[in-house]
Amino acid sequence: MDEILPPGQVWARNWVIYSALGTPRIDVESYRLRVTGLVEEPREYSYQELLEMADVEYVKPFHCVTKWSIRDVRWTGVSLKRLLENSRVKREGKWLMFVCADGYTAPVPLEDALSDDAIVALKMDGRPLEVDQGFPARPFIPHLYGWKSAKWLVKMEVLPTYVDGYWEMYGYHERGNVWGEERFKGMGFRHALRKAAGIIQRGI
Ligand SMILES: Nc1nc2c(c(=O)[nH]1)N[C@H]1C(S)=C(S)[C@@H](COP(=O)(O)O)O[C@H]1N2
Ligand SMILES: [Mo]
């Protein structure tokens, strides 16, 4: 369990359901999750295959960049590292783009996607994801803000360089680490410290 609240967050009782581009209907029979881009072996997985591969379960909170956090969510899913290793990422691969059935996108550094607790989540609190919470699948990386947990995930594309996703286009941070309060571009932990100390305003 991970009950420490990251800086600037507050515990909330209920999820706020976000679907910036609407809620797509996904036919679970024809659904595939594709792993593409800079990989030796592009792969695709059916929902059934993903369910059978599910190998990670833990209780961890979820943090939205708009400052609400949900504590004690039980997550079940497939290790992202395992999925990426199955496809053998090429050496030039540095970023991973999550692409969704609704057109929503979110990039994360490959390094974060390879962390031990990064998953493609299939269940929350022991039940398949609700339709409005991303059924059949959404990535979850506990130390990144919730906008990187892209609902209705259909594709993971390995890229050589950073590319904006949906929220990053509006100025949200490239990485979005909750412990460094990486909410907006140029607003990482060290930047915030320097700003608080007045160094940046003085132009040093
Ligand atoms: N496809 C898609 N995924 C998305 C979003 C969205 O609008 N569309 N919103 C993101 C944001 S900002 C948050 S905080 C979480 C919210 O998850 P929830 O809708 O399950 O509460 O979903 C993320 N994933
Ligand atoms: Mo969010």
Side-chain angles (χ1 to χ4, degrees):
M1 230 175 289
D2 188 357
E3 302 225 335
I4 304 167
L5 194 57
Q9 296 295 115
V10 291
W11 292 122
R13 199 165 285 282
N14 296 307
W15 293 81
V16 182
I17 305 297
Y18 291 129
S19 42
L21 299 172
T23 300
R25 285 240 146 249
I26 292 187
D27 169 35
V28 72
E29 294 302 322
S30 57
Y31 171 82
R32 296 290 181 276
L33 172 61
R34 295 195 292 136
V35 181
T36 66
L38 292 172
V39 293
E40 301 291 349
E41 248 186 87
R43 300 272 304 253
E44 54 175 53
Y45 301 90
S46 68
Y47 181 58
Q48 196 55 42
E49 285 172 320
L50 291 172
L51 276 180
E52 282 162 18
M53 287 173 78
D55 54 354
V56 182
E57 189 166 282
Y58 51 61
V59 174
K60 284 190 191 288
F62 179 95
H63 309 291
C64 174
V65 70
T66 64
K67 304 204 165 178
W68 54 268
S69 293
I70 305 290
R71 74 199 303 167
D72 295 350
V73 183
R74 185 151 60 92
W75 298 91
T76 310
V78 185
S79 158
L80 247 172
K81 186 177 187 173
R82 181 168 162 215
L83 290 169
L84 291 166
E85 282 176 357
N86 275 355
S87 284
R88 291 185 290 128
V89 174
K90 293 184 181 171
R91 243 189 319 156
E92 313 89 84
K94 296 286 181 273
W95 286 79
L96 185 66
M97 184 67 87
F98 297 124
V99 180
C100 306
D102 56 338
Y104 184 92
T105 49
V108 296
L110 196 62
E111 212 178 303
D112 292 284
L114 290 171
S115 54
D116 284 335
D117 54 6
I119 59 171
V120 169
L122 304 167
K123 295 181 182 177
M124 284 161 61
D125 296 326
R127 289 181 300 276
L129 300 180
E130 297 289 340
V131 167
D132 62 3
Q133 291 206 285
F135 180 85
R138 68 190 295 176
F140 177 63
I141 302 179
H143 64 278
L144 301 185
Y145 285 114
W147 91 82
K148 303 288 188 180
S149 178
K151 302 189 290 184
W152 313 292
L153 181 70
V154 292
K155 186 167 84 169
M156 303 197 289
E157 186 172 2
V158 179
L159 302 174
T161 51
Y162 170 78
V163 178
D164 276 344
Y166 181 82
W167 282 116
E168 294 78 10
M169 262 183 334
Y170 295 97
Y172 283 89
H173 198 276
E174 295 89 339
R175 181 177 181 218
N177 185 312
V178 300
W179 302 103
E181 283 213 83
E182 292 173 343
R183 297 175 192 274
F184 299 101
K185 285 179 179 154
M187 283 294 281
F189 182 63
R190 295 176 68 191
H191 179 94
L193 270 185
R194 285 160 62 84
K195 203 172 171 202
I199 293 167
I200 285 173
Q201 281 85 344
R202 289 202 301 270
I204 295 167

